[in-house]
Amino acid sequence: MIRPEHILLAFVVDLTIGDPRWIPHPVVLIGNLVNRLEKALRRKGDSTGVEYIKGGLLVLITLSVTLFSVFLFLWAVSLLGRSSVIISGALLVYLVSTTIATRGLITSARSVVRALEGEDIKRARGDLAMIVGRDTGRLDRKGILKATIETLSENLSDGVIAPLFYLTAGGIPLAMLYKAVNTMDSIVGYRNERYRYFGMIAARLDDVANFIPARLTGLLIAISVFLFVSMRNIREAARLSVRSIRTMFRDGRRHSSPNSGVPEAAMAGALGVRLGGPLRYSGVIVEKPYLGVETGRSYMQACYDALKVVFVASSLGVILSASVLYVM
């Protein structure tokens, strides 16, 4: 059973070491499973109905294998705990830390910003391409910074707050099932010609799983901007927090995704920038709604503030999760 100290220690582990490449990561293993299942299940010429059924089978197998693997791991840890409580506890903490991605999110975004600071726009585009799905080869400085803020907002929900929500609600098994759902969506959940039917169930399941966490993330963004701005000007902090919430409710629902637009709109309002607009995916321009309003703020400074918001919101999420577990 997950205890408050597991959450707190896991957050410290994530901030300290992140996800070392030499240790097998559950999300990577799940991603490999999804890719192999897609290759095994799909056949050229399948009808839309068959594609839909096979996509559902991929979801069922992935979730079943994930859940079985987690229970097997927890069973092994429980046996180990009889001889070494410290080692079994450390394994639990590490597994919990793999569901939280604060360090990876901040580090990836910082690499993009630092490349722009060094006037290396080519490197910035390359680093950004590692963390977003859109085409980055033609983005200018402002476009790169906007994309960085957007991915910080969305992945704060998917990579930090949502896992914490499910860790609190159902422990490691539910959190890992969420990671499996999110991973499937990132691989086959696209609304394009290739995955329209095969990835439909995975995409809809991800929409359901992220509904509450996305809105919780939006509120935490508003609280976070109040906390770090209040240290210098409490009236300004209150104004930005209120604007964040108003923008979240006004613009969040304009997005094609029922969830992605919520934290993005909250962040846009908190920072005083406008996000969204036309984007290019695989050479095709996709019209997306604008979120927030231009206020003349520097997008570079806004990006730095977004990094602060992500850290504060992640910390608040951890404290909230640990507090709920403590009361329970």
Side-chain angles (χ1 to χ4, degrees):
M1 180 172 175
I2 292 296
R3 298 194 296 270
E5 56 267 30
H6 290 140
I7 300 290
L8 296 172
L9 288 172
F11 186 54
V12 172
V13 169
D14 175 64
L15 292 178
T16 305
I17 66 172
D19 300 313
R21 294 186 179 182
W22 56 274
I23 301 179
H25 195 284
V27 171
V28 175
L29 298 177
I30 293 170
N32 290 337
L33 173 63
V34 173
N35 286 323
R36 290 181 181 182
L37 285 173
E38 181 185 357
K39 290 179 181 179
L41 292 170
R42 300 190 78 179
R43 293 291 182 272
K44 189 175 181 179
D46 283 342
S47 66
T48 56
V50 172
E51 284 266 293
Y52 182 83
I53 292 172
K54 287 186 174 181
L57 188 58
L58 178 143
V59 169
L60 181 61
I61 294 173
T62 302
L63 294 181
S64 298
V65 171
T66 299
L67 196 59
F68 174 78
S69 300
V70 170
F71 279 124
L72 186 63
F73 177 87
L74 294 177
W75 174 76
V77 168
S78 68
L79 292 180
L80 184 62
R82 297 176 183 176
S83 57
S84 178
V85 175
I86 294 178
I87 294 178
S88 62
L91 288 172
L92 276 179
V93 168
Y94 178 72
L95 186 60
V96 172
S97 76
T98 64
T99 67
I100 305 170
T102 303
R103 179 188 171 97
L105 179 56
I106 291 176
T107 300
S108 299
R110 275 180 177 165
S111 69
V112 176
V113 176
R114 286 171 179 166
L116 285 179
E117 285 180 329
E119 301 300 327
D120 191 346
I121 195 167
K122 183 177 180 180
R123 179 187 151 201
R125 288 168 176 163
D127 289 345
L128 180 63
M130 301 295 291
I131 55 175
V132 300
R134 72 193 68 179
D135 297 345
T136 62
R138 300 183 183 182
L139 291 178
D140 58 11
R141 183 184 179 89
K142 182 178 178 180
I144 292 171
L145 289 169
K146 283 177 62 176
T148 303
I149 295 171
E150 288 170 14
T151 196
L152 280 169
S153 309
E154 184 177 356
N155 287 316
L156 171 62
S157 177
D158 293 354
V160 183
I161 304 305
L164 286 170
F165 176 81
Y166 287 106
L167 278 167
T168 308
I172 292 176
L174 195 57
M176 281 300 174
L177 283 178
Y178 168 77
K179 298 300 286 188
V181 168
N182 194 240
T183 303
M184 285 188 288
D185 179 66
S186 68
I187 296 174
V188 303
Y190 297 100
R191 295 179 176 89
N192 55 25
E193 195 62 32
R194 178 175 179 178
Y195 291 115
R196 187 179 306 277
Y197 300 102
F198 185 79
M200 184 181 294
I201 293 178
R204 295 296 177 268
L205 191 58
D206 186 74
D207 288 342
V208 172
N210 280 300
F211 188 84
I212 295 176
R215 284 142 186 85
L216 179 59
T217 302
L219 293 175
L220 288 174
I221 287 172
I223 296 170
S224 297
V225 75
F226 174 82
L227 290 177
F228 82 78
V229 174
S230 64
M231 291 186 288
R232 63 175 185 266
N233 188 326
I234 193 165
R235 288 187 178 180
E236 177 69 3
R239 185 181 71 84
L240 295 179
S241 184
V242 169
R243 187 175 67 188
S244 176
I245 294 174
R246 285 178 176 172
T247 307
M248 177 179 71
F249 283 109
R250 186 191 68 211
D251 295 349
R253 57 189 175 184
R254 295 179 182 175
H255 203 283
S256 58
S257 165
N259 302 314
S260 298
V262 176
E264 288 182 19
M267 188 71 84
L271 303 179
V273 296
R274 186 172 70 166
L275 304 177
L279 302 175
R280 188 181 296 270
Y281 290 88
S282 301
V284 179
I285 294 180
V286 177
E287 295 292 336
K288 292 202 172 184
Y290 285 107
L291 309 173
V293 178
E294 292 274 9
T295 62
R297 272 205 86 198
S298 160
Y299 276 76
M300 178 64 82
Q301 186 57 54
C303 204
Y304 277 120
D305 285 347
L307 288 167
K308 295 177 185 176
V309 168
V310 167
F311 178 76
V312 176
S314 297
S315 302
L316 288 175
V318 167
I319 293 171
L320 180 61
S321 174
S323 299
V324 172
L325 288 173
Y326 179 78
V327 172
M328 292 171 60

